[in-house]
Coordinates of all heavy atoms in Angstrom, one line a residue:
N461 N -30.6 6.5 45.0 CA -31.3 7.7 45.2 C -31.1 8.7 44.1 O -32.0 9.4 43.7 CB -30.8 8.3 46.6 CG -31.5 7.8 47.8 OD1 -32.6 7.3 47.6 ND2 -30.9 7.9 48.9
I462 N -29.8 8.8 43.7 CA -29.5 9.9 42.7 C -30.1 9.5 41.3 O -30.8 10.3 40.7 CB -28.0 10.0 42.6 CG1 -27.4 10.5 43.9 CG2 -27.6 11.1 41.5 CD1 -25.9 10.7 43.9
N465 N -33.8 9.8 41.4 CA -34.3 11.2 41.3 C -34.2 11.6 39.8 O -35.1 12.3 39.3 CB -33.4 12.1 42.1 CG -33.8 12.1 43.6 OD1 -34.9 11.6 43.9 ND2 -33.0 12.7 44.4
S466 N -33.1 11.2 39.1 CA -33.0 11.7 37.7 C -34.1 11.1 36.9 O -34.6 11.8 36.0 CB -31.7 11.2 37.2 OG -30.6 11.9 37.7
K468 N -37.1 10.2 38.2 CA -38.3 10.8 38.7 C -38.5 12.3 38.2 O -39.6 12.7 37.9 CB -38.2 10.8 40.3 CG -39.5 11.0 41.0 CD -39.5 10.5 42.4 CE -38.4 11.1 43.3 NZ -38.6 10.8 44.7
Y469 N -37.4 13.0 38.2 CA -37.5 14.4 37.8 C -37.1 14.7 36.3 O -36.5 15.7 36.0 CB -36.7 15.3 38.8 CG -37.2 15.1 40.2 CD1 -36.4 14.4 41.1 CD2 -38.4 15.6 40.6 CE1 -36.9 14.3 42.4 CE2 -38.9 15.4 41.9 CZ -38.1 14.7 42.8 OH -38.6 14.6 44.1
D533 N -28.3 14.3 34.2 CA -29.6 14.0 33.5 C -30.0 15.1 32.7 O -29.4 16.2 32.7 CB -30.6 13.5 34.5 CG -31.0 14.7 35.5 OD1 -31.2 15.8 35.0 OD2 -31.1 14.4 36.7
I536 N -35.7 18.1 34.6 CA -36.4 19.4 34.8 C -35.4 20.4 35.3 O -35.7 21.6 35.4 CB -37.6 19.3 35.7 CG1 -37.1 18.7 37.1 CG2 -38.6 18.4 35.1 CD1 -38.2 18.9 38.1
G537 N -34.2 20.0 35.8 CA -33.2 21.0 36.3 C -33.6 21.5 37.6 O -34.7 21.3 38.2
I538 N -32.7 22.3 38.2 CA -32.9 22.9 39.5 C -32.5 24.4 39.5 O -31.4 24.7 39.0 CB -32.0 22.1 40.6 CG1 -32.3 20.6 40.5 CG2 -32.1 22.7 42.0 CD1 -31.2 19.8 41.1
L546 N -30.8 21.4 48.7 CA -31.4 20.1 48.5 C -31.0 19.0 49.5 O -31.7 18.1 49.8 CB -30.9 19.5 47.1 CG -31.1 20.4 45.9 CD1 -30.6 19.7 44.7 CD2 -32.6 20.6 45.7
H551 N -36.3 18.9 52.3 CA -36.4 19.9 51.4 C -36.8 19.4 50.0 O -36.2 18.5 49.5 CB -35.0 20.7 51.3 CG -35.1 21.9 50.5 ND1 -35.6 23.1 51.0 CD2 -34.9 22.1 49.2 CE1 -35.6 24.0 50.1 NE2 -35.2 23.5 48.9
R552 N -37.8 20.1 49.4 CA -38.2 19.7 48.1 C -38.3 21.0 47.3 O -38.7 22.0 47.8 CB -39.5 19.0 48.1 CG -39.6 17.8 49.1 CD -40.7 16.8 48.8 NE -40.4 16.1 47.5 CZ -41.3 15.9 46.6 NH1 -42.6 16.3 46.8 NH2 -41.0 15.2 45.5
V553 N -37.9 21.0 46.0 CA -38.0 22.2 45.2 C -39.4 22.3 44.6 O -39.9 21.3 44.1 CB -37.0 22.1 44.0 CG1 -37.0 23.4 43.3 CG2 -35.6 21.8 44.6
Y556 N -44.1 19.5 43.4 CA -44.2 18.4 42.5 C -45.2 17.4 43.1 O -44.8 16.2 43.4 CB -42.9 17.6 42.3 CG -41.8 18.6 41.8 CD1 -40.7 18.8 42.6 CD2 -41.9 19.1 40.5 CE1 -39.7 19.7 42.1 CE2 -40.9 19.9 40.1 CZ -39.8 20.2 40.9 OH -38.9 21.0 40.4
Q562 N -44.1 12.1 43.8 CA -44.2 12.3 45.2 C -43.0 11.8 45.9 O -42.4 10.8 45.5 CB -45.4 11.6 45.7 CG -46.6 12.4 45.6 CD -47.9 11.7 46.1 OE1 -47.8 10.6 46.5 NE2 -49.0 12.4 46.0
G563 N -42.5 12.5 46.8 CA -41.3 12.1 47.6 C -41.4 12.7 49.0 O -42.4 13.3 49.4
T564 N -40.3 12.5 49.7 CA -40.3 12.9 51.1 C -39.3 14.0 51.4 O -39.4 14.7 52.4 CB -39.8 11.7 52.0 OG1 -38.6 11.3 51.5 CG2 -40.8 10.6 51.9
G565 N -38.4 14.2 50.4 CA -37.3 15.2 50.7 C -36.3 14.7 51.6 O -35.5 15.5 52.2
L566 N -36.2 13.4 51.8 CA -35.2 12.8 52.7 C -34.1 12.1 52.0 O -33.0 11.9 52.6 CB -35.9 11.8 53.7 CG -36.9 12.4 54.7 CD1 -37.6 11.3 55.5 CD2 -36.1 13.4 55.7
G567 N -34.4 11.7 50.8 CA -33.4 10.9 50.0 C -32.0 11.5 49.9 O -31.0 10.8 50.2
L568 N -32.0 12.8 49.6 CA -30.6 13.4 49.4 C -30.0 13.7 50.8 O -28.7 13.6 50.8 CB -30.8 14.7 48.6 CG -31.0 14.5 47.1 CD1 -31.1 15.9 46.4 CD2 -29.9 13.7 46.5
Y569 N -30.8 13.9 51.8 CA -30.2 14.0 53.1 C -29.5 12.7 53.6 O -28.4 12.7 54.0 CB -31.2 14.5 54.1 CG -30.7 14.5 55.6 CD1 -29.8 15.6 56.0 CD2 -31.0 13.5 56.5 CE1 -29.3 15.6 57.2 CE2 -30.5 13.6 57.8 CZ -29.7 14.6 58.2 OH -29.2 14.7 59.4
S593 N -29.7 18.3 35.4 CA -29.0 18.4 36.6 C -27.8 17.4 36.6 O -27.8 16.4 36.0 CB -29.8 18.1 37.8 OG -31.1 18.6 37.7
F595 N -25.4 15.5 39.5 CA -25.1 15.2 40.9 C -23.7 14.5 41.0 O -23.5 13.6 40.2 CB -26.1 14.3 41.6 CG -27.4 15.1 42.0 CD1 -28.3 15.4 41.0 CD2 -27.5 15.5 43.3 CE1 -29.4 16.2 41.3 CE2 -28.7 16.3 43.6 CZ -29.6 16.6 42.6
Ligands
ADP6 P1 -37.5 13.5 47.2 O1 -37.1 13.1 45.9 O2 -38.1 12.4 48.0 O3 -38.4 14.7 47.2 P2 -34.7 14.1 47.7 O4 -34.0 14.4 49.0 O5 -34.2 12.9 47.0 O6 -36.3 13.9 48.1 O7 -34.7 15.3 46.8 C1 -34.9 16.6 47.2 C2 -35.4 17.5 46.2 O8 -34.4 17.8 45.2 C3 -36.5 16.9 45.3 O9 -37.8 17.1 45.9 C4 -36.4 17.7 44.0 O10 -37.1 18.9 44.1 C5 -34.9 18.0 43.9 N1 -34.1 17.1 43.0 C6 -33.4 16.0 43.4 N2 -32.8 15.4 42.3 C7 -33.2 16.1 41.2 C8 -33.0 16.0 39.9 N3 -32.2 15.0 39.3 N4 -33.5 16.9 39.0 C9 -34.3 17.9 39.6 N5 -34.6 18.1 40.9 C10 -34.1 17.2 41.7

Side-chain angles (χ1 to χ4, degrees):
N461 273 342
I462 298 179
N465 278 347
S466 287
K468 198 159 56 165
Y469 300 108
D533 66 43
I536 60 169
I538 302 160
L546 307 178
H551 190 83
R552 310 199 69 221
V553 183
Y556 305 114
Q562 271 180 2
T564 57
L566 292 174
L568 286 180
Y569 175 74
S593 320
F595 281 80

